[in-house]
Amino acid sequence: MKNIIQMVVVLTVLSGSSAGILAGIRVVTMEKIEYQQLKFQKEPAVRKIMEGSGMDPMAGRFKIDYQGRKLTIFPGEIDGEPMAAFETFGKGYSGDVGVMVGLSLSSGRIIGMGVTTHSETPGIGSKVKDSPTFVDQFKGEPVESGFKVRNDGGGVDAISGATITSRAVCVAVDEAGKVYGELKEQLLPTKIAAKDGSHE
Amino acid sequence: MSKSIAREFAKGLWSEIPPFRLVLGLCPVLAVTMSVENGIGMGLATTFVLVGSNFLVSLLRNVIPPKIRIACFIIIIATFVTMVEFIMQAYVYPLYLKLGIFIPLIVVNCVVLGRAEAFACKNPILPSLADGLGMGLGFTLSLSLIGAFREVLGNGTFLGLQVFGDAFVPFGVMVKAPGAFVTLGLLLAFMNLVPVKK
């Protein structure tokens, strides 16, 4: 009996202090990690989506509230048509898969997207980021159309061997659709909205 | 006393150097040694975890009940690995991206658990620290060596700098998985040629 109590106490104290220490380190490093992800993950994805944009999406980025958390919006514009890119997440095989979705704000269609952060299996799930053919399927589709992989009765071809990862991307895009549906007005960068109010 | 600490440190560098003599922790040895930079990064991350876990395991060796020692070791190791993950993300993000999934996998690296079980839980703090540091640096050395072989032959570069002239055609296979096995096999064979004095 004494043994069991000792074991429980030791394990509890150990796990508790471990959680405490890690939470502390997370708080200290969070801001730096966010900056690094912005620089090395989000910026390349946004730049690719917004190629030819008349305004700098990085310089013009702003935050809006969405379901209690801050969502960073990267605005852009091609030929006077306003666009916005932002990152949403879906549950992948191991952890969240982040997807940067770029939309045309006048038509609600996807103009480009790219996977940002993920921790999927190298060589299998990681193809979702490395091979452009998968994400290219979404290009030009209305963002609110509700995406599903073929296994689930939808129209998206999953990456073979990585159905869960492919599903995560669909979930993330649907999330982006929800953001678009609910917060359309807020996605419009104030500068463009002021210059040309006819879009909404 | 100081002599034995020096010996605990030195054994990790030669007579018990982890991948070559103990043949432990081969997953990162094979998987991330495409380049010297990867090898050094992975090695140093593992060293940090080894030193930290050896220290804590040795400190708590009289508190941890023997029946649940493995669970306790894993908690300690996992804490240090998560720490490394946060720190790498905050300060060396590009390297973190390259090593990716293999950083969290340090938790299940046999070298780390092996040293906790075989050494740190039976020895005082100072020798345990020396053991962890020696083993970690030995591991780093081995990974960098394999990385150097593979990077020079497979890519014609060393730490990203061009080694050969334009006439050199890299052996692409060396930076792929078979190259890792070939390099490790050759180095193991070479290490076996050199006897260890007991």
Side-chain angles (χ1 to χ4, degrees):
Chain A
M1 191 59 201
K2 194 181 151 255
N3 266 344
I4 291 181
I5 293 174
Q6 193 196 3
M7 285 186 219
V8 170
V9 169
V10 167
L11 265 185
T12 313
V13 170
L14 210 54
S15 317
S17 31
S18 157
I21 292 168
L22 289 180
I25 293 184
R26 168 122 188 94
V27 169
V28 173
T29 54
M30 192 149 66
E31 214 166 283
K32 283 215 170 63
I33 294 176
E34 256 170 35
Y35 171 76
Q36 299 271 21
Q37 285 179 344
L38 184 74
K39 195 168 147 205
F40 289 102
Q41 299 271 29
K42 295 179 192 169
E43 183 168 346
V46 170
R47 291 244 181 261
K48 204 167 156 239
I49 293 168
M50 300 279 184
E51 234 174 346
S53 162
M55 58 186 288
D56 185 0
M58 295 309 290
R61 67 176 193 268
F62 57 93
K63 290 187 176 182
I64 60 172
D65 281 313
Y66 175 66
Q67 292 184 347
R69 63 187 184 94
K70 293 267 183 240
L71 190 67
T72 307
I73 309 290
F74 302 92
E77 160 207 33
I78 293 177
D79 299 334
E81 201 181 317
M83 316 190 298
F86 50 90
E87 192 183 31
T88 49
F89 296 89
K91 267 255 166 300
Y93 191 67
S94 57
D96 285 342
V97 177
V99 183
M100 184 65 72
V101 185
L103 305 169
S104 156
L105 291 180
S106 45
S107 66
R109 285 175 188 277
I110 296 172
I111 47 167
M113 52 185 260
V115 172
T116 51
T117 45
H118 72 87
S119 44
E120 306 295 291
T121 321
I124 303 173
S126 71
K127 277 190 202 148
V128 82
K129 182 167 186 173
D130 307 332
S131 97
T133 42
F134 177 73
V135 286
D136 280 355
Q137 296 178 72
F138 294 85
K139 230 179 201 167
E141 300 289 327
V143 67
E144 289 180 283
S145 47
F147 292 99
K148 273 182 187 166
V149 292
R150 251 177 234 289
N151 279 3
D152 301 342
V156 176
D157 283 320
I159 291 173
S160 54
T163 310
I164 296 178
T165 312
S166 311
R167 210 174 270 153
V169 173
C170 294
V171 169
V173 178
D174 284 348
E175 181 81 15
K178 260 186 236 156
V179 174
Y180 175 73
E182 285 172 30
L183 303 170
K184 216 180 281 187
E185 287 76 23
Q186 292 184 40
L187 295 181
L188 216 55
T190 41
K191 257 183 269 170
I192 294 183
K195 202 169 62 185
D196 182 2
S198 65
H199 282 295
E200 287 301 330
Chain B
M1 186 68 187
S2 66
K3 205 173 164 192
S4 78
I5 288 177
R7 207 172 53 224
E8 298 305 348
F9 175 73
K11 74 168 190 282
L13 296 180
W14 181 249
S15 67
E16 285 182 29
I17 188 166
F20 297 137
R21 294 283 191 213
L22 302 179
V23 199
L24 278 181
L26 290 188
C27 166
V29 169
L30 294 168
V32 301
T33 52
M34 277 84 75
S35 67
V36 187
E37 189 197 352
N38 282 8
I40 295 174
M42 186 70 200
L44 290 183
T46 313
T47 306
F48 174 82
V49 175
L50 254 171
V51 172
S53 76
N54 263 15
F55 171 73
L56 263 191
V57 167
S58 166
L59 185 73
L60 301 174
R61 70 185 185 283
N62 297 324
V63 183
I64 295 173
K67 274 186 190 159
I68 52 160
R69 64 180 192 286
I70 301 287
C72 295
F73 296 166
I74 291 292
I75 293 177
I76 291 172
I77 295 168
T79 310
F80 280 103
V81 170
T82 315
M83 236 182 251
V84 167
E85 221 187 328
F86 286 149
I87 293 169
M88 285 187 83
Q89 280 189 70
Y91 296 99
V92 280
Y93 200 76
L95 182 64
Y96 171 79
L97 286 185
K98 273 193 222 152
L99 297 178
I101 188 84
F102 293 103
I103 293 295
L105 282 181
I106 297 176
V107 176
V108 288
N109 189 321
C110 313
V111 177
V112 184
L113 186 60
R115 290 333 286 173
E117 168 79 10
F119 195 92
C121 73
K122 297 174 192 140
N123 288 284
I125 293 176
L126 273 180
S128 298
L129 279 176
D131 176 80
L133 194 63
M135 284 289 165
L137 292 182
F139 194 67
T140 312
L141 216 63
S142 323
L143 287 187
S144 322
L145 187 66
I146 298 172
F149 265 97
R150 293 179 65 192
E151 193 184 337
V152 168
L153 292 177
N155 209 14
T157 56
F158 183 83
L159 276 173
L161 303 167
Q162 206 73 32
V163 182
F164 301 110
D166 290 337
F168 177 74
V169 181
F171 305 104
V173 72
M174 289 305 284
V175 288
K176 300 210 168 70
F181 284 99
V182 170
T183 314
L184 179 68
L186 289 177
L187 285 173
L188 270 177
F190 172 74
M191 288 295 280
N192 283 342
L193 284 180
V194 190
V196 177
K197 288 192 195 92
K198 285 275 172 189

